[in-house]
Amino acid sequence: MKKTLALLLISFILINSCNKNTPHMKKNISVPTVDKKPTKLEKHGDVRTDDYYWLNDRENPEVIAYLEAENAYNDAMTAHTKDFQKDLFQELKGRIKEDDSSVPYKLNGYWYIKKYEEGKGYPIHTRRKGTLDAPEEILFDVNKMAEGHPYYRLTGISVSPNNKLVAYGVDTISRRQYTIHIKNLETGEIYKERIENTTGSSTWAADNKTLFYANKDEQTLRSEKIYKHKLGDEVANDTVVFHEEDETFITFVYKTKSRKYLVIGSYSTLTMEYRILEADNPDGEFRVFQPRVRGLEYGISHYKDHFYVLNNKDASINFKLSKTPEDKTGMEHWEDIIPHRPDVLLEDTEIFKDFLVLSERANGLNKIRIIRWDRTEDYYLPFDNETYTANTSVNVDFDTEILRYTYNSLTTPASVIDFNMVTKTKDVKKEQEVLGGKFDKNNYISERLWATSADGTKIPMSVVYKKGIKKDGSNPLLQYAYGSYGSTIDPYFSSSRLSLLDRGFIYVIAHVRGGEYLGRNWYDDGKLMDKKNTFTDFIDCSKYLIEQKYTSPEHLYASGGSAGGLLMGAIANMNPELYNGIIASVPFVDVITTMLDDSIPLTTGEYDEWGNPNEKEYYHYMKSYSPYDNVVAKAYPNMLVTTGLHDSQVQYWEPAKWVAKLRDLKTDNNILLLHTNMDAGHGGASGRFESLKEVAEEYAFLLDLENIKD
């Protein structure tokens, strides 16, 4: 170990001696090296040799020294862009209104508002009783709470029914292990109870003294138990009311919008199960709503004497809506009220006293449908853009005619809109301000393109660029995608993205298979044994953009994070010649090793997404695309890889190992950078503006490759 640490120290000295080098001297900077310590990994008679397996010990000083050496190398290699990064950060920050507040929403007699003050990075949570003219009551000033912490996140704010108490979760490590605290809103006292290792969320019973919460396994971080806590009792005496013993499921607890029922949910990728209990009977026994059936996914809402069940029963792949009596909740009693439609994905529901609101998706576009319970009206909100995003927003009030929703597009800043479902009039409560005096949405063009994949499938893309661009192949283009878990990346507005668009970049979201942009089939065709469709779709989109002269391989860049980072690793192995640069953020790149280790957080719950490599068929399919396992001696694009030391979703060692192996095998002289945030996890830095520094770093990497200096 001493020898390795000495070598790393020498590397630090060499790197730091080059920190003042000009860009043309970058080749003289010493590249970090790390020892190979071969580990034989055998499964199904197949032996893999992992030279960097040992990097999975974050307590090992050699590991920390290597990560710090990579950070020092990254600093040295990008020293010539540091001033540019600072300028970009100020530019990004300068478009954001610092003195800002959310649109108020009303809950149980109080108006709740989240506001920001100039120069401060965290929100202040407030409320006003009865009217917006009432005195302001500060619930939390997160700026004060975060003092002294390099990372701070407050989540799960849960106010008691009598409005006197609030429970909330705090994470100061960025590992998503929250400690729940309870505050008296009348006196300001924070009670002695510290409920550790939770999801951060909690739910009050109707008695204002019983709190339900989900506890996590210390090692796997799987939320597996629901506890009941009595106000004033020792936390050690809390009662387990439900234990999810199936390691492929996670559990959670919440209250219905009607406030009548407490609900415990159990979730896996393909299966759901719920338990219910009247909120005014917290010491009663939860009862199963509908027993789990593999492949049956459902969600429940309560209204009057019925539950409304969003479900995929009877092969309803795009989901349907059913209702069932409160006392007969088994699926044999479910009565369909919105039937399954093969061309419309039913994504969500909102229940009001007089209206049912459906969130749908057709041909990739969001639709909001409003239906009176008496069926005298059934209509859609009108949207006329070619590509946009519209979603229902915070709608906690049950007895109201107002539906709150959000709307934005690639060229239109986000708006919060209150729509009167009776008069059909809308009131724009807030439109995102883009400061700086330079933004005009009429200066940008958005469109939707369709590429054809190798198997003949049409792959949609949402595209935005500044007017005046010529499609001659010379434009820099950043192509982004995620493509997993059925998560759809809708075309959304970003004020930060303007820093690329205004410098000549085209930005593209590729809606590859693995998301649900074109319905549930779109997801099913991009997971398990069809996972490679996600990668080939992205590549075929790239080829189309090149063929149509939007860009060229010399100017094409790709970006993705987490499971999208897996996508980046796969395309780097499959078609590196198409890209001049790749940004892989917290990338999931060591697929087999991670999925074989059920002690790693969240692994077992992922089997229905990726497959279980303990089964031979899945093992070999994963091995055929796992980025880390498929790095070979060839040329790779310029690459920036980022991770967080405390990441609970994708462990830091995956990108660290990947970069080490790329350094050892790649045959090119292209840039390869690894930046580890030593204070953060999967979501990156905390605070309103700290994350913009990470964006500035990524943008500077791209702009430097394009020789754009300002």
Side-chain angles (χ1 to χ4, degrees):
M1 178 186 292
K2 290 182 179 179
K3 180 180 178 182
T4 302
L5 288 172
L7 290 172
L8 285 169
L9 181 59
I10 293 171
S11 179
F12 275 129
I13 294 171
L14 288 171
I15 291 168
N16 290 331
S17 70
C18 300
N19 271 344
K20 296 182 180 179
N21 282 347
T22 54
H24 67 274
M25 296 177 66
K26 287 189 293 185
K27 291 182 180 179
N28 297 326
I29 299 174
S30 297
V31 177
T33 58
V34 61
D35 286 349
K36 292 182 178 180
K37 301 179 182 180
T39 299
K40 300 291 184 182
L41 303 172
E42 183 174 356
K43 192 72 177 178
H44 306 300
D46 180 60
V47 178
R48 293 178 299 132
T49 301
D50 189 343
D51 290 329
Y52 307 105
Y53 184 84
W54 66 276
L55 290 176
N56 69 357
D57 181 7
R58 65 167 51 84
E59 304 300 324
N60 185 340
E62 289 183 81
V63 173
I64 299 301
Y66 170 62
L67 297 177
E68 291 177 341
E70 285 284 3
N71 280 349
Y73 176 73
N74 174 60
D75 286 340
M77 289 290 289
T78 60
H80 63 289
T81 72
K82 294 302 182 184
D83 288 341
F84 189 25
Q85 288 185 43
K86 291 177 182 177
D87 291 342
L88 280 171
F89 170 73
Q90 292 300 327
E91 181 179 302
L92 299 171
K93 185 179 177 183
R95 295 196 189 98
I96 298 173
K97 185 179 180 182
E98 293 194 42
D99 184 8
D100 200 6
S101 62
S102 65
V103 178
Y105 69 88
K106 194 172 186 181
L107 174 63
N108 199 22
Y110 281 81
W111 289 96
Y112 287 86
I113 305 167
K114 180 170 69 173
K115 67 179 185 179
Y116 291 91
E117 293 182 348
E118 188 170 351
K120 296 183 179 180
Y122 291 91
I124 300 171
H125 296 271
T126 71
R127 69 178 183 177
R128 297 175 187 266
K129 185 175 182 179
T131 72
L132 290 171
D133 296 324
E136 178 183 76
E137 178 184 345
I138 294 178
L139 306 180
F140 304 104
D141 185 341
V142 186
N143 299 285
K144 293 180 179 179
M145 299 166 73
E147 289 177 359
H149 298 284
Y151 179 92
Y152 194 92
R153 178 169 172 79
L154 180 146
T155 192
I157 296 174
S158 177
V159 179
S160 62
N162 64 5
N163 293 310
K164 295 181 179 182
L165 303 169
V166 61
Y168 60 98
V170 172
D171 175 15
T172 58
I173 301 297
S174 188
R175 194 133 174 94
R176 301 189 183 183
Q177 290 174 285
Y178 292 89
T179 298
I180 292 176
H181 304 268
I182 300 170
K183 181 178 181 179
N184 186 312
L185 293 174
E186 294 183 319
T187 67
E189 178 189 1
I190 297 176
Y191 293 160
K192 66 178 182 178
E193 288 103 320
R194 288 174 52 88
I195 307 174
E196 297 182 342
N197 195 36
T198 75
T199 62
S201 298
S202 58
T203 300
W204 292 95
D207 64 358
N208 299 294
K209 64 180 181 180
T210 307
L211 192 68
F212 294 85
Y213 63 91
N215 180 263
K216 289 188 170 185
D217 180 274
E218 286 277 4
Q219 183 172 12
T220 66
L221 303 188
R222 181 175 73 92
S223 54
E224 60 175 3
K225 294 179 181 178
I226 302 298
Y227 279 85
K228 177 172 62 178
H229 173 75
K230 294 290 187 178
L231 198 63
D233 283 359
E234 295 292 333
V235 173
N237 296 329
D238 288 0
T239 305
V240 177
V241 296
F242 175 66
H243 182 193
E244 178 50 76
E245 296 183 349
D246 189 328
E247 63 182 10
T248 66
F249 281 72
I250 62 172
T251 187
F252 53 94
V253 61
Y254 69 97
K255 190 184 296 180
T256 59
K257 185 175 176 178
S258 67
R259 305 179 196 167
K260 183 174 180 179
Y261 287 96
L262 298 163
V263 182
I264 293 175
S266 287
Y267 165 81
S268 75
T269 304
L270 296 175
T271 307
M272 294 291 298
E273 182 181 70
Y274 292 93
R275 287 166 168 77
I276 59 174
L277 176 67
E278 286 74 12
D280 60 3
N281 182 28
D283 294 326
E285 294 291 328
F286 282 84
R287 55 192 182 274
V288 176
F289 186 92
Q290 158 59 41
R292 67 189 65 180
V293 176
R294 180 166 174 77
L296 176 64
E297 299 174 63
Y298 70 96
I300 60 176
S301 302
H302 176 254
Y303 173 63
K304 290 186 176 179
D305 55 357
H306 281 80
F307 281 97
Y308 289 78
V309 188
L310 183 66
N311 68 92
N312 66 347
K313 181 175 173 283
D314 303 322
S316 302
I317 191 169
N318 276 334
F319 291 83
K320 60 182 178 179
L321 186 66
S322 310
K323 73 174 183 177
T324 192
E326 284 179 308
D327 58 347
K328 297 177 180 179
T329 58
M331 63 179 176
E332 66 273 15
H333 302 291
W334 296 358
E335 174 190 348
D336 294 349
I337 59 172
I338 302 294
H340 174 255
R341 292 156 292 173
D343 57 343
V344 177
L345 175 65
L346 181 55
E347 294 186 312
D348 202 1
T349 63
E350 286 275 8
I351 287 181
F352 298 88
K353 179 182 177 183
D354 296 319
F355 295 92
L356 170 66
V357 177
L358 307 178
S359 294
E360 302 177 347
R361 185 181 296 274
N363 196 32
L365 300 180
N366 301 128
K367 307 287 186 182
I368 297 178
R369 182 180 176 186
I370 298 171
I371 306 171
R372 273 192 179 272
W373 287 113
D374 61 11
R375 293 286 182 162
T376 57
E377 287 188 296
D378 184 342
Y379 61 94
Y380 285 88
L381 290 181
F383 303 118
D384 55 6
N385 207 319
E386 181 180 6
T387 178
Y388 62 88
T389 299
N391 293 303
T392 58
S393 182
V394 180
N395 290 284
V396 294
D397 196 354
F398 181 72
D399 187 5
T400 179
E401 299 172 352
I402 303 300
L403 168 71
R404 178 164 292 175
Y405 70 95
T406 61
Y407 176 88
N408 73 106
S409 74
L410 290 169
T411 60
T412 306
S415 295
V416 178
I417 301 167
D418 279 358
F419 180 78
N420 189 304
M421 295 180 282
V422 175
T423 65
K424 299 183 178 62
T425 57
K426 68 179 184 179
D427 179 13
V428 179
K429 306 300 291 186
K430 181 178 181 179
E431 186 171 309
Q432 178 186 353
E433 293 185 57
V434 181
L435 303 185
K438 296 180 180 179
F439 173 71
D440 181 350
K441 66 181 180 181
N442 296 312
N443 291 334
Y444 305 89
I445 295 173
S446 67
E447 57 188 5
R448 190 160 61 156
L449 305 176
W450 298 79
T452 303
S453 71
D455 64 5
T457 304
K458 296 290 186 180
I459 313 299
M461 294 174 280
S462 296
V463 183
V464 62
Y465 51 87
K466 196 169 185 180
K467 284 183 179 177
I469 280 180
K470 295 180 180 179
K471 296 167 186 173
D472 57 6
S474 66
N475 302 303
L477 186 150
L478 179 59
Q479 181 181 334
Y480 171 84
Y482 184 72
S484 292
Y485 302 105
S487 179
T488 299
I489 307 300
D490 283 310
Y492 64 97
F493 181 82
S494 165
S495 66
S496 296
R497 191 187 299 136
L498 298 173
S499 291
L500 292 180
L501 301 182
D502 289 346
R503 290 175 170 87
F505 265 77
I506 298 172
Y507 184 83
V508 176
I509 301 172
H511 303 291
V512 296
R513 282 174 281 187
E516 284 187 344
Y517 187 78
L518 292 180
R520 186 54 181 257
N521 278 321
W522 204 245
Y523 169 41
D524 291 340
D525 288 347
K527 68 176 182 177
L528 297 174
M529 298 298 287
D530 291 314
K531 187 63 213 172
K532 289 183 183 179
N533 284 336
T534 302
F535 317 140
T536 55
D537 284 357
F538 191 92
I539 289 167
D540 288 329
C541 286
S542 298
K543 290 178 178 178
Y544 178 87
L545 292 166
I546 293 169
E547 291 167 0
Q548 298 300 312
K549 303 294 184 181
Y550 281 83
T551 190
S552 61
E554 294 77 22
H555 300 287
L556 178 56
Y557 302 90
S559 174
S562 192
L566 162 65
L567 169 58
M568 295 300 101
I571 66 167
N573 285 331
M574 295 168 68
N575 285 91
E577 75 285 354
L578 291 178
Y579 307 95
N580 190 41
I582 291 176
I583 298 174
S585 307
V586 293
F588 173 43
V589 286
D590 189 14
V591 182
I592 298 179
T593 307
T594 290
M595 294 303 297
L596 281 171
D597 187 351
D598 59 14
S599 70
I600 293 177
L602 310 178
T603 292
T604 55
E606 304 278 282
Y607 290 155
D608 286 334
E609 178 72 23
W610 312 103
N612 184 348
N614 291 295
E615 299 176 23
K616 188 173 183 179
E617 179 185 29
Y618 286 117
Y619 173 90
H620 286 290
Y621 187 71
M622 285 181 183
K623 186 180 179 183
S624 71
Y625 69 74
S626 174
Y628 181 66
D629 292 287
N630 287 280
V631 173
V632 296
K634 65 180 177 182
Y636 284 86
N638 298 288
M639 298 176 71
L640 169 62
V641 182
T642 64
T643 187
L645 181 63
H646 302 291
D647 197 330
S648 61
Q649 309 299 109
V650 177
Q651 307 299 312
Y652 74 88
W653 60 76
E654 292 198 40
K657 289 167 51 177
W658 184 43
V659 168
K661 190 172 183 180
L662 282 166
R663 287 208 189 287
D664 182 51
L665 292 176
K666 74 190 192 80
T667 60
D668 57 84
N669 293 317
N670 289 330
I671 297 168
L672 175 58
L673 304 175
L674 172 65
H675 182 189
T676 303
N677 188 326
M678 306 301 282
D679 296 317
H682 200 64
S686 64
R688 190 182 186 196
F689 300 117
E690 284 301 305
S691 61
L692 293 179
K693 294 179 180 178
E694 298 171 353
V695 176
E697 177 186 19
E698 294 180 359
Y699 284 8
F701 174 76
L702 298 172
L703 293 166
D704 187 46
L705 290 173
E706 283 293 312
N707 202 31
I708 298 173
K709 304 301 183 184
D710 53 30

